[in-house]
Amino acid sequence: MVTGDHQTLALVLFSVFVAVTLAITTWVSRDRHGSAEEFYAGGRLFSPMENGFAIAGDYMSAASFLGISGLIALYGYDGMLYSVGFLVAWLVVLLLVAELVRNCGRFTLADVVAARMAERPVRIAAGTSSVAVSVLYLVAQMVGAGSLVALLLGGTGEAARTWTVVGVGALMVIYVSLGGMRATTWIQIVKAVLLMAGTVALTVLVLVRFHGDVNSLLNTAAERSGHGSAFLGPGLKYGGDWTARLDFISLGLALVLGTAGLPHILSRFYTVPTARAARRSVVWSIGLIGGFYLMTIVLGFGAAALIGSAEVRASNASGNTAVPLLALDLGGGAGSTGGTVLFAVVAAVAFATILAVVAGITLASSASVAHDLYASLRRPDRKQYSEVAVARVAAAVIGAVAIGLGLLASDLNVAFLVGLAFAVAASANLPVLLYSLFWRRFTTRGAVWSVYGGLVPAVLLVLFSPVVSGGPEALFPGVDFQLFPLQNPGVVSIPLGFLAGWLGTVTSAEPPDEARHAETEVRALTGAGAV
């Protein structure tokens, strides 16, 4: 599939992107003030359109560009449900959290919760949960970087994977440490433009190949899938016994509810000057993300129709090579100039996607470490360091951890890491966020119990699930300590997070602070007193 010309052109395009983004980072770092507001929120100077593009760039990961199209190419209708789940999640963000989070917080999720609680325990709990979600999401991206980039460049040895992971990790630390939120935002904007342009070009070429006849596209995909008409109906992946169906419900809950609890998404609402701008940012991002996920459906069915599901699966069992294979075919086939150019574009877009996403996640996690954990745990009698300095050190440490874990997990399936990140976000972050915003009686104990009551079960259920042991596709196929039948814990851990928050509140001896709640409510709804 990959020739020397493909590798050379892909490397050239990727090098251009890296050079441009490093130039942006250098330019931004020369103009910074070194303040926490500048580092965490980019000075709150971005317009709704700019922030909307950055949110889209932060959200549309390599898993979306390559993974969802691959799932559709392999499983048809059931794969398409991923696109729907990721898109519908933004309605929860728009209707429930975007404007209120912007009004109530400064830089992190913990700011919103701690506004009416005892700060220290709440910040430690929310900061721990945010770092856990960020690291899980980050490791998934790093492992994806190692496998996908090595695959796209034709490198199958350990050296190619190792240098890819180390290189991506080093770049993300440079972006975050030097440029902060402003550089990260512009990198995400550039990446969103590249990703949308590449996806639009491939989608148009697929539709032109079938003369705009979507029915012909779907029928051809069904014929070449090997499943016939079943390819266009539900049940190919998630049909069968009750476990598979419940697993799909669990995954759907995690995807739809988890987005509103992702730290790197929530932090983007602080980069605009007002709550109205935050809401308009989400509208912009929904338009971009909606168009993108609609196009992944065309690309997935296009790969099934033009390449065939069997050939996609033969190239990569998870379907991650469906879009590169499709690009080669649309450009004229392997060895052709058009195929080489399209393949190189796909490779460069995949690289840009990985870099932009890991930069956003690293910034969010380093902000939680510095603004929440360090600020809560530091001792008054010790030397005090600025939050920005701690955040830069935290970015380097988190980058090193992600590189190490990415290398250790280089041969493992990364799908469960993304699902776990969404499940943890929906189980631990979303309940405490919604309770803090909408429940007058919510207390500090309820907040702490809500976080840990969702975080701990989510992690434990995955450890004892078939994803980790007990089957040939498990992370550790040679052992069996499986106790939980589902691959995603969301259907159990999300209700537990809400239940723990309620139970902690009703058993708390601490009376709710009516005055602080009233102040938070007015601030959330009107923006009065917002930073």
Side-chain angles (χ1 to χ4, degrees):
M1 183 185 77
V2 183
T3 67
D5 290 340
H6 296 157
Q7 295 177 37
T8 301
L9 189 51
L11 280 171
V12 168
L13 290 177
F14 178 51
S15 299
V16 170
F17 175 80
V18 171
V20 170
T21 52
L22 284 175
I24 291 172
T25 303
T26 303
W27 171 66
V28 168
S29 64
R30 293 176 60 187
D31 192 37
R32 68 166 188 248
H33 307 295
S35 66
E37 184 175 35
E38 175 69 27
F39 186 82
Y40 294 144
R44 310 187 198 278
L45 299 175
F46 292 100
S47 70
M49 184 181 74
E50 291 169 343
N51 197 44
F53 270 84
I55 291 173
D58 215 355
Y59 190 69
M60 298 182 299
S61 66
S64 298
F65 181 50
L66 301 175
I68 292 179
S69 298
L71 286 170
I72 295 172
L74 297 181
Y75 301 107
Y77 181 92
D78 279 13
M80 185 179 68
L81 294 174
Y82 277 78
S83 296
V84 176
F86 279 117
L87 177 57
V88 170
W90 280 97
L91 295 179
V92 178
V93 177
L94 174 63
L95 298 176
L96 292 181
V97 302
E99 185 173 355
L100 304 183
V101 164
R102 173 61 187 83
N103 282 339
C104 288
R106 292 185 66 212
F107 307 124
T108 65
L109 165 70
D111 287 338
V112 180
V113 183
R116 46 177 291 220
M117 309 290 177
E119 284 207 24
R120 192 171 188 270
V122 168
R123 284 194 180 278
I124 292 173
T128 300
S129 174
S130 295
V131 171
V133 174
S134 298
V135 170
L136 287 169
Y137 211 112
L138 191 58
V139 171
Q141 296 297 320
M142 298 298 287
V143 174
S147 59
L148 293 177
V149 172
L151 174 67
L152 290 172
L153 293 181
T156 56
E158 287 302 315
R161 293 174 181 270
T162 300
W163 284 111
T164 297
V165 172
V166 172
V168 170
L171 283 170
M172 76 181 182
V173 171
I174 292 172
Y175 292 150
V176 174
S177 300
L178 294 182
M181 177 59 84
R182 190 174 295 188
T184 300
T185 298
W186 282 109
I187 292 167
Q188 289 162 345
I189 291 172
V190 172
K191 169 257 175 139
V193 172
L194 288 175
L195 182 59
M196 291 299 293
T199 308
V200 167
L202 291 177
T203 301
V204 169
L205 289 174
V206 169
L207 294 177
V208 167
R209 182 71 66 91
F210 288 91
H211 307 289
D213 189 345
V214 177
N215 190 52
S216 174
L217 167 63
L218 296 177
N219 288 334
T220 305
E223 292 172 7
R224 299 204 60 186
S225 69
H227 299 286
S229 59
F231 189 71
L232 303 180
L236 200 58
K237 181 175 176 61
Y238 294 106
D241 59 13
W242 68 270
T243 303
R245 299 183 182 187
L246 193 59
D247 224 340
F248 173 70
I249 295 174
S250 186
L251 177 64
L253 283 173
L255 295 180
V256 171
L257 298 179
T259 299
L262 291 176
H264 63 291
I265 298 298
L266 293 176
S267 66
R268 293 238 52 92
F269 300 136
Y270 301 124
T271 64
V272 290
T274 64
R276 182 171 181 267
R279 187 172 63 251
R280 291 175 61 196
S281 296
V282 177
V283 174
W284 271 100
S285 65
I286 286 178
L288 294 167
I289 293 168
F292 170 76
Y293 282 118
L294 287 175
M295 289 187 288
T296 62
I297 297 174
V298 176
L299 298 184
F301 282 112
L306 298 175
I307 308 300
S309 299
E311 188 171 340
V312 171
R313 185 177 282 106
S315 175
N316 183 273
S318 300
N320 290 326
T321 58
V323 172
L325 286 171
L326 179 64
L328 279 174
D329 185 88
L330 291 172
S336 66
T337 301
T340 299
V341 171
L342 278 182
F343 177 90
V345 168
V346 168
V349 168
F351 300 154
T353 296
I354 291 168
L355 286 177
V357 172
V358 297
I361 299 169
T362 304
L363 180 60
S365 54
S366 64
S368 292
V369 170
H371 187 63
D372 299 326
L373 297 179
Y374 171 74
S376 300
L377 297 173
R378 64 185 175 187
R379 297 180 180 179
D381 57 334
R382 298 289 181 87
K383 181 180 179 181
Q384 303 296 305
Y385 297 94
S386 73
E387 282 189 16
V388 174
V390 174
R392 291 197 178 103
V393 173
V397 173
I398 290 168
V401 170
I403 290 171
L405 292 176
L407 293 175
L408 288 175
S410 61
D411 295 326
L412 303 181
N413 189 322
V414 301
F416 91 99
L417 286 172
V418 176
L420 177 59
F422 273 83
V424 172
S427 303
N429 290 349
L430 184 64
V432 72
L433 180 61
L434 294 183
Y435 277 147
S436 298
L437 291 173
F438 299 110
W439 191 14
R440 183 178 296 272
R441 291 186 55 200
F442 198 44
T443 63
T444 299
R445 176 189 284 185
V448 174
W449 282 25
S450 180
V451 173
Y452 293 126
L455 176 64
V456 175
V459 174
L460 289 178
L461 289 176
V462 168
L463 289 177
F464 293 104
S465 75
V467 169
V468 177
S469 69
E473 297 181 356
L475 297 179
F476 304 105
V479 295
D480 187 359
F481 47 86
Q482 172 194 339
L483 299 175
F484 183 64
L486 305 182
Q487 293 189 348
N488 190 287
V491 73
V492 175
S493 60
I494 295 173
L496 285 178
F498 282 98
L499 178 62
W502 173 82
L503 191 61
T505 297
V506 298
T507 60
S508 176
E510 167 198 358
D513 192 329
E514 297 285 348
R516 290 182 71 181
H517 173 77
E519 179 184 345
T520 302
E521 187 174 38
V522 171
R523 180 175 170 180
L525 295 176
T526 67
V531 179

PDB file of all heavy atoms in Angstrom, residues 474-493:
ATOM      1  N   ALA A 474      -8.492  -9.614  24.223  1.00  0.00           N
ATOM      2  CA  ALA A 474      -8.277  -8.839  25.441  1.00  0.00           C
ATOM      3  C   ALA A 474      -6.857  -8.298  25.489  1.00  0.00           C
ATOM      4  O   ALA A 474      -5.963  -8.735  24.758  1.00  0.00           O
ATOM      5  CB  ALA A 474      -8.555  -9.708  26.669  1.00  0.00           C
ATOM      6  N   LEU A 475      -6.652  -7.338  26.389  1.00  0.00           N
ATOM      7  CA  LEU A 475      -5.319  -6.774  26.548  1.00  0.00           C
ATOM      8  C   LEU A 475      -4.332  -7.839  27.038  1.00  0.00           C
ATOM      9  O   LEU A 475      -3.172  -7.854  26.641  1.00  0.00           O
ATOM     10  CB  LEU A 475      -5.356  -5.613  27.540  1.00  0.00           C
ATOM     11  CG  LEU A 475      -6.197  -4.393  27.138  1.00  0.00           C
ATOM     12  CD1 LEU A 475      -6.154  -3.357  28.233  1.00  0.00           C
ATOM     13  CD2 LEU A 475      -5.712  -3.808  25.825  1.00  0.00           C
ATOM     14  N   PHE A 476      -4.802  -8.709  27.921  1.00  0.00           N
ATOM     15  CA  PHE A 476      -3.970  -9.798  28.432  1.00  0.00           C
ATOM     16  C   PHE A 476      -4.689 -11.115  28.154  1.00  0.00           C
ATOM     17  O   PHE A 476      -5.364 -11.670  29.027  1.00  0.00           O
ATOM     18  CB  PHE A 476      -3.720  -9.623  29.932  1.00  0.00           C
ATOM     19  CG  PHE A 476      -3.107  -8.314  30.296  1.00  0.00           C
ATOM     20  CD1 PHE A 476      -3.857  -7.309  30.885  1.00  0.00           C
ATOM     21  CD2 PHE A 476      -1.761  -8.064  30.034  1.00  0.00           C
ATOM     22  CE1 PHE A 476      -3.295  -6.090  31.210  1.00  0.00           C
ATOM     23  CE2 PHE A 476      -1.188  -6.843  30.352  1.00  0.00           C
ATOM     24  CZ  PHE A 476      -1.957  -5.849  30.942  1.00  0.00           C
ATOM     25  N   PRO A 477      -4.575 -11.633  26.938  1.00  0.00           N
ATOM     26  CA  PRO A 477      -5.353 -12.819  26.543  1.00  0.00           C
ATOM     27  C   PRO A 477      -4.964 -14.089  27.286  1.00  0.00           C
ATOM     28  O   PRO A 477      -5.723 -15.056  27.310  1.00  0.00           O
ATOM     29  CB  PRO A 477      -5.052 -12.944  25.043  1.00  0.00           C
ATOM     30  CG  PRO A 477      -3.752 -12.239  24.849  1.00  0.00           C
ATOM     31  CD  PRO A 477      -3.733 -11.126  25.849  1.00  0.00           C
ATOM     32  N   GLY A 478      -3.792 -14.101  27.901  1.00  0.00           N
ATOM     33  CA  GLY A 478      -3.338 -15.317  28.562  1.00  0.00           C
ATOM     34  C   GLY A 478      -3.896 -15.538  29.944  1.00  0.00           C
ATOM     35  O   GLY A 478      -3.677 -16.606  30.533  1.00  0.00           O
ATOM     36  N   VAL A 479      -4.584 -14.538  30.504  1.00  0.00           N
ATOM     37  CA  VAL A 479      -5.149 -14.675  31.855  1.00  0.00           C
ATOM     38  C   VAL A 479      -6.645 -14.385  31.806  1.00  0.00           C
ATOM     39  O   VAL A 479      -7.158 -13.838  30.827  1.00  0.00           O
ATOM     40  CB  VAL A 479      -4.457 -13.710  32.841  1.00  0.00           C
ATOM     41  CG1 VAL A 479      -2.996 -14.084  33.010  1.00  0.00           C
ATOM     42  CG2 VAL A 479      -4.572 -12.266  32.358  1.00  0.00           C
ATOM     43  N   ASP A 480      -7.327 -14.763  32.888  1.00  0.00           N
ATOM     44  CA  ASP A 480      -8.774 -14.563  32.935  1.00  0.00           C
ATOM     45  C   ASP A 480      -9.204 -14.193  34.349  1.00  0.00           C
ATOM     46  O   ASP A 480      -9.313 -15.054  35.211  1.00  0.00           O
ATOM     47  CB  ASP A 480      -9.502 -15.821  32.476  1.00  0.00           C
ATOM     48  CG  ASP A 480     -11.015 -15.598  32.347  1.00  0.00           C
ATOM     49  OD1 ASP A 480     -11.459 -14.472  32.628  1.00  0.00           O
ATOM     50  OD2 ASP A 480     -11.724 -16.544  31.975  1.00  0.00           O
ATOM     51  N   PHE A 481      -9.408 -12.894  34.588  1.00  0.00           N
ATOM     52  CA  PHE A 481      -9.990 -12.456  35.852  1.00  0.00           C
ATOM     53  C   PHE A 481     -11.220 -11.585  35.570  1.00  0.00           C
ATOM     54  O   PHE A 481     -11.567 -10.680  36.325  1.00  0.00           O
ATOM     55  CB  PHE A 481      -8.963 -11.695  36.718  1.00  0.00           C
ATOM     56  CG  PHE A 481      -8.175 -10.640  35.987  1.00  0.00           C
ATOM     57  CD1 PHE A 481      -8.661  -9.352  35.851  1.00  0.00           C
ATOM     58  CD2 PHE A 481      -6.936 -10.937  35.444  1.00  0.00           C
ATOM     59  CE1 PHE A 481      -7.945  -8.377  35.192  1.00  0.00           C
ATOM     60  CE2 PHE A 481      -6.192  -9.962  34.776  1.00  0.00           C
ATOM     61  CZ  PHE A 481      -6.701  -8.679  34.646  1.00  0.00           C
ATOM     62  N   GLN A 482     -11.894 -11.907  34.468  1.00  0.00           N
ATOM     63  CA  GLN A 482     -13.089 -11.160  34.064  1.00  0.00           C
ATOM     64  C   GLN A 482     -14.249 -11.458  35.008  1.00  0.00           C
ATOM     65  O   GLN A 482     -14.584 -12.620  35.264  1.00  0.00           O
ATOM     66  CB  GLN A 482     -13.474 -11.535  32.637  1.00  0.00           C
ATOM     67  CG  GLN A 482     -14.810 -10.957  32.193  1.00  0.00           C
ATOM     68  CD  GLN A 482     -15.335 -11.611  30.922  1.00  0.00           C
ATOM     69  OE1 GLN A 482     -14.561 -12.196  30.183  1.00  0.00           O
ATOM     70  NE2 GLN A 482     -16.620 -11.536  30.701  1.00  0.00           N
ATOM     71  N   LEU A 483     -14.862 -10.403  35.508  1.00  0.00           N
ATOM     72  CA  LEU A 483     -16.034 -10.528  36.371  1.00  0.00           C
ATOM     73  C   LEU A 483     -17.227  -9.750  35.827  1.00  0.00           C
ATOM     74  O   LEU A 483     -18.373 -10.066  36.145  1.00  0.00           O
ATOM     75  CB  LEU A 483     -15.713 -10.019  37.784  1.00  0.00           C
ATOM     76  CG  LEU A 483     -14.600 -10.762  38.549  1.00  0.00           C
ATOM     77  CD1 LEU A 483     -14.330 -10.068  39.876  1.00  0.00           C
ATOM     78  CD2 LEU A 483     -14.992 -12.213  38.775  1.00  0.00           C
ATOM     79  N   PHE A 484     -16.954  -8.709  35.023  1.00  0.00           N
ATOM     80  CA  PHE A 484     -17.989  -7.822  34.484  1.00  0.00           C
ATOM     81  C   PHE A 484     -18.152  -8.108  33.004  1.00  0.00           C
ATOM     82  O   PHE A 484     -17.163  -8.110  32.262  1.00  0.00           O
ATOM     83  CB  PHE A 484     -17.573  -6.365  34.719  1.00  0.00           C
ATOM     84  CG  PHE A 484     -18.576  -5.336  34.279  1.00  0.00           C
ATOM     85  CD1 PHE A 484     -19.819  -5.256  34.889  1.00  0.00           C
ATOM     86  CD2 PHE A 484     -18.280  -4.444  33.262  1.00  0.00           C
ATOM     87  CE1 PHE A 484     -20.740  -4.299  34.485  1.00  0.00           C
ATOM     88  CE2 PHE A 484     -19.187  -3.484  32.862  1.00  0.00           C
ATOM     89  CZ  PHE A 484     -20.424  -3.410  33.481  1.00  0.00           C
ATOM     90  N   PRO A 485     -19.359  -8.384  32.502  1.00  0.00           N
ATOM     91  CA  PRO A 485     -19.510  -8.863  31.120  1.00  0.00           C
ATOM     92  C   PRO A 485     -19.424  -7.801  30.040  1.00  0.00           C
ATOM     93  O   PRO A 485     -19.246  -8.129  28.870  1.00  0.00           O
ATOM     94  CB  PRO A 485     -20.908  -9.491  31.131  1.00  0.00           C
ATOM     95  CG  PRO A 485     -21.653  -8.731  32.176  1.00  0.00           C
ATOM     96  CD  PRO A 485     -20.638  -8.400  33.231  1.00  0.00           C
ATOM     97  N   LEU A 486     -19.555  -6.511  30.388  1.00  0.00           N
ATOM     98  CA  LEU A 486     -19.605  -5.453  29.377  1.00  0.00           C
ATOM     99  C   LEU A 486     -18.233  -4.842  29.145  1.00  0.00           C
ATOM    100  O   LEU A 486     -17.408  -4.788  30.053  1.00  0.00           O
ATOM    101  CB  LEU A 486     -20.584  -4.362  29.793  1.00  0.00           C
ATOM    102  CG  LEU A 486     -22.013  -4.796  30.108  1.00  0.00           C
ATOM    103  CD1 LEU A 486     -22.867  -3.589  30.454  1.00  0.00           C
ATOM    104  CD2 LEU A 486     -22.621  -5.569  28.945  1.00  0.00           C
ATOM    105  N   GLN A 487     -18.003  -4.361  27.924  1.00  0.00           N
ATOM    106  CA  GLN A 487     -16.736  -3.717  27.612  1.00  0.00           C
ATOM    107  C   GLN A 487     -16.695  -2.268  28.059  1.00  0.00           C
ATOM    108  O   GLN A 487     -15.617  -1.727  28.320  1.00  0.00           O
ATOM    109  CB  GLN A 487     -16.461  -3.801  26.108  1.00  0.00           C
ATOM    110  CG  GLN A 487     -16.222  -5.214  25.615  1.00  0.00           C
ATOM    111  CD  GLN A 487     -15.746  -5.255  24.175  1.00  0.00           C
ATOM    112  OE1 GLN A 487     -15.801  -4.253  23.473  1.00  0.00           O
ATOM    113  NE2 GLN A 487     -15.282  -6.401  23.744  1.00  0.00           N
ATOM    114  N   ASN A 488     -17.829  -1.605  28.119  1.00  0.00           N
ATOM    115  CA  ASN A 488     -17.878  -0.215  28.572  1.00  0.00           C
ATOM    116  C   ASN A 488     -18.702  -0.147  29.854  1.00  0.00           C
ATOM    117  O   ASN A 488     -19.810  -0.686  29.905  1.00  0.00           O
ATOM    118  CB  ASN A 488     -18.485   0.678  27.496  1.00  0.00           C
ATOM    119  CG  ASN A 488     -18.328   2.155  27.816  1.00  0.00           C
ATOM    120  OD1 ASN A 488     -18.993   2.690  28.688  1.00  0.00           O
ATOM    121  ND2 ASN A 488     -17.430   2.826  27.101  1.00  0.00           N
ATOM    122  N   PRO A 489     -18.206   0.520  30.900  1.00  0.00           N
ATOM    123  CA  PRO A 489     -18.897   0.514  32.194  1.00  0.00           C
ATOM    124  C   PRO A 489     -19.973   1.570  32.348  1.00  0.00           C
ATOM    125  O   PRO A 489     -20.611   1.668  33.398  1.00  0.00           O
ATOM    126  CB  PRO A 489     -17.747   0.799  33.172  1.00  0.00           C
ATOM    127  CG  PRO A 489     -16.843   1.710  32.400  1.00  0.00           C
ATOM    128  CD  PRO A 489     -16.911   1.222  30.967  1.00  0.00           C
ATOM    129  N   GLY A 490     -20.201   2.398  31.321  1.00  0.00           N
ATOM    130  CA  GLY A 490     -21.052   3.571  31.458  1.00  0.00           C
ATOM    131  C   GLY A 490     -22.440   3.298  32.013  1.00  0.00           C
ATOM    132  O   GLY A 490     -22.936   4.061  32.844  1.00  0.00           O
ATOM    133  N   VAL A 491     -23.089   2.221  31.593  1.00  0.00           N
ATOM    134  CA  VAL A 491     -24.459   1.955  32.010  1.00  0.00           C
ATOM    135  C   VAL A 491     -24.548   1.697  33.509  1.00  0.00           C
ATOM    136  O   VAL A 491     -25.610   1.868  34.121  1.00  0.00           O
ATOM    137  CB  VAL A 491     -25.040   0.765  31.212  1.00  0.00           C
ATOM    138  CG1 VAL A 491     -24.437  -0.559  31.669  1.00  0.00           C
ATOM    139  CG2 VAL A 491     -26.560   0.736  31.310  1.00  0.00           C
ATOM    140  N   VAL A 492     -23.448   1.306  34.130  1.00  0.00           N
ATOM    141  CA  VAL A 492     -23.418   1.081  35.585  1.00  0.00           C
ATOM    142  C   VAL A 492     -22.778   2.261  36.311  1.00  0.00           C
ATOM    143  O   VAL A 492     -23.318   2.768  37.298  1.00  0.00           O
ATOM    144  CB  VAL A 492     -22.655  -0.221  35.922  1.00  0.00           C
ATOM    145  CG1 VAL A 492     -22.520  -0.393  37.430  1.00  0.00           C
ATOM    146  CG2 VAL A 492     -23.339  -1.424  35.304  1.00  0.00           C
ATOM    147  N   SER A 493     -21.609   2.721  35.838  1.00  0.00           N
ATOM    148  CA  SER A 493     -20.847   3.727  36.573  1.00  0.00           C
ATOM    149  C   SER A 493     -21.472   5.122  36.510  1.00  0.00           C
ATOM    150  O   SER A 493     -21.330   5.903  37.466  1.00  0.00           O
ATOM    151  CB  SER A 493     -19.403   3.773  36.062  1.00  0.00           C
ATOM    152  OG  SER A 493     -19.362   4.092  34.682  1.00  0.00           O
TER     153      SER A 493
END
